[in-house]
Amino acid sequence: MAEKISVVVTDYIETDLDWEAAEMARRGVDFACYQLKAASEQEVAEKTRHADVVVVNMVKITPTLMDSWEKCKLVIRHGAGYDNVDVDAATERGIGVEYVPDYCMHEVAEQALALIFACVRKVAWSRKVLDDSVARGEWDFAPVIPMFRLDGATVGIIGCGRIGSLTYHKLEHFGVKFLICDPYLSDKRKAGLGIETVDLKTLLNNSDIVTLHTPLNDETRHIMNAETIAMMKPSAYLINTSRGGMVNVDDLAAALKNNTIAGAGIDVYEKEPPSPDYPLLGLDNAVLTPHLSWYSKDAEQTIREKIVQAINMFIDGTGPRMPVNPEVFQTGKDG
Ligand SMILES: NC(=O)c1ccc[n+]([C@@H]2O[C@H](COP(=O)([O-])OP(=O)(O)OC[C@H]3O[C@@H](n4cnc5c(N)ncnc54)[C@H](O)[C@@H]3O)[C@@H](O)[C@H]2O)c1
């Protein structure tokens, strides 16, 4: 009889994985789940040694750990990033890596819209105005004046992939114009979206709102810095729901204090959570949320279903679902 496939979850954020266990039992899979986030690498190695598939949330997947594995062919990272998995080392060892970048696209796009509206309508700041006016017994709107109308404004989208294009579609109904910068978009994709692209400077010079939706890499790290922020209109807002490292936060803080730009809506930080001396804390023209763009009750269930789907595709030989190192899967098919 063929040996059962073994799936081991190193750590998870759900209350329990009973649903996954039942799904795996239906497929005859040997399923085990642990909470090894704080465990030693040796303990993680002991628990994962016999796994064919390792599902990981926060545990670090290092070359040493991979060397302890007897037959693992697939690591699935629970989430849209995979910083904790040494992908190069996995590729060298013929281990496929998958991730789940597509479980919270609507949520992140909706958060971008929420931050845009919060900035343009100065929602959080207006609450302070209300509280002050209540204390004084008369209105004083001065701190939040002026505001501008979103209808007719220009939204600049930097990166028009999964989330950027959804942000575009959701905003289409608000009477805004668009400038889109994404040098890697194919002509077919542009035609499908019905858009043209522009260079970064054109976008920054002419947008009332600039929203960031690219991956963080050597090209995009600190793409927003003193020089590029200065290219924005003084009345413009910067929105970042992508990765903290895309913005030089000291330069942004200086720009917000000097009114080089009007404000910023930020969900992501270079250090998470940010330190108490994070320079945007306490600035009225900065709307800050705690890296929760990804979250909704629905997204929580979607990621569970997509991970089970990825495991089933592995079992059926129809994968990979969302590969990080596609060359490994290709080799597997050819060989
Ligand atoms: N805040 C959150 O909770 C959260 C959740 C999920 C994803 N994210 C982040 O959102 C971002 C977008 O994710 P996605 O799934 O849409 O990615 P994606 O890969 O689908 O799209 C990224 C787009 O950026 C473009 N791009 C790459 N380099 C560029 C550059 N230098 N200038 C302009 N465009 C460039 C690519 O061509 C691509 O079209 C990522 O940084 C991701 O980590 C954040």
Side-chain angles (χ1 to χ4, degrees):
M1 206 174 78
E3 208 182 325
K4 275 187 165 187
I5 285 180
S6 161
V7 174
V8 175
V9 181
T10 57
D11 57 315
Y12 53 95
I13 54 170
E14 291 78 8
T15 313
D16 62 62
L17 297 186
D18 294 351
W19 177 77
E20 287 79 356
E23 289 294 310
M24 292 294 98
R26 286 198 312 122
R27 294 299 312 256
V29 166
D30 188 8
F31 180 78
C33 56
Y34 302 99
Q35 288 292 21
L36 301 171
K37 194 172 142 186
S40 67
E41 188 163 79
Q42 195 189 345
E43 192 184 345
V44 180
E46 280 162 21
K47 298 287 197 301
T48 51
R49 182 160 290 130
H50 305 288
D52 296 284
V53 178
V54 170
V55 181
V56 60
N57 185 256
M58 296 305 287
V59 165
K60 277 199 173 0
I61 306 296
T62 65
T64 321
L65 179 63
M66 290 185 236
D67 286 337
S68 74
W69 292 344
E70 290 170 358
K71 56 180 175 150
C72 180
K73 281 277 157 237
L74 177 63
V75 172
I76 303 175
R77 155 76 179 134
H78 177 295
Y82 42 84
D83 304 351
N84 56 322
V85 179
D86 190 329
V87 177
D88 289 342
T91 306
E92 279 165 23
R93 290 159 178 76
I95 298 172
V97 179
E98 293 188 35
Y99 68 146
V100 195
D102 54 343
Y103 74 102
C104 61
M105 303 173 303
H106 282 282
E107 285 76 4
V108 182
E110 285 162 10
Q111 183 83 4
L113 263 66
L115 290 173
I116 290 170
F117 279 101
C119 283
V120 170
R121 296 307 308 168
K122 301 190 177 171
V123 173
W125 201 350
S126 291
R127 173 59 196 266
K128 273 179 120 176
V129 162
L130 175 79
D131 289 345
D132 290 349
S133 296
V134 167
R136 192 179 294 114
E138 60 178 344
W139 290 121
D140 177 10
F141 305 125
V144 289
I145 284 173
M147 297 188 203
F148 69 77
R149 185 184 290 158
L150 189 62
D151 189 277
T154 298
V155 177
I157 298 178
I158 302 180
C160 199
R162 278 178 291 260
I163 295 168
S165 61
L166 262 182
T167 305
Y168 164 75
H169 284 310
K170 288 176 193 292
L171 278 169
E172 275 183 309
H173 308 289
F174 290 98
V176 298
K177 294 176 265 194
F178 292 98
L179 287 172
I180 293 170
C181 171
D182 189 331
Y184 303 106
L185 226 49
S186 68
D187 289 342
K188 191 172 163 214
R189 181 83 176 125
K190 281 191 241 181
L193 288 166
I195 59 160
E196 299 284 330
T197 52
V198 298
D199 61 80
L200 184 63
K201 186 170 185 297
T202 303
L203 182 148
L204 295 174
N205 285 167
N206 296 290
S207 296
D208 299 299
I209 291 138
V210 173
T211 180
L212 305 178
H213 299 286
T214 74
L216 177 63
N217 55 36
D218 290 345
E219 193 189 0
T220 60
R221 190 177 307 281
H222 289 189
I223 192 170
M224 297 312 298
N225 53 50
E227 194 187 338
T228 49
I229 292 170
M231 291 178 192
M232 293 173 65
K233 293 182 181 184
S235 55
Y237 292 94
L238 176 66
I239 309 297
N240 188 13
T241 56
S242 53
R243 284 288 178 263
M246 293 180 52
V247 177
N248 181 323
V249 79
D250 292 321
D251 291 350
L252 176 60
L256 294 179
K257 284 177 193 157
N258 301 336
N259 300 315
T260 308
I261 62 170
I266 305 288
D267 182 57
V268 283
Y269 306 89
E270 279 194 283
K271 176 178 175 291
E272 298 211 348
S275 321
D277 63 354
Y278 179 71
L280 305 192
L281 292 171
L283 296 186
D284 285 327
N285 54 353
V287 179
L288 307 177
T289 54
H291 197 161
L292 264 185
S293 295
W294 57 273
Y295 173 76
S296 77
K297 209 63 195 149
D298 311 272
E300 269 186 337
Q301 183 57 28
T302 303
I303 194 167
R304 298 175 77 162
E305 289 166 6
K306 287 185 189 283
I307 289 173
V308 166
Q309 185 191 10
I311 297 169
N312 283 335
M313 289 171 78
F314 171 80
I315 297 168
D316 297 336
T318 55
R321 203 188 79 82
M322 284 283 177
V324 176
N325 52 358
E327 62 274 31
V328 170
F329 298 91
Q330 198 51 49
T331 309
K333 274 186 185 146
D334 293 345

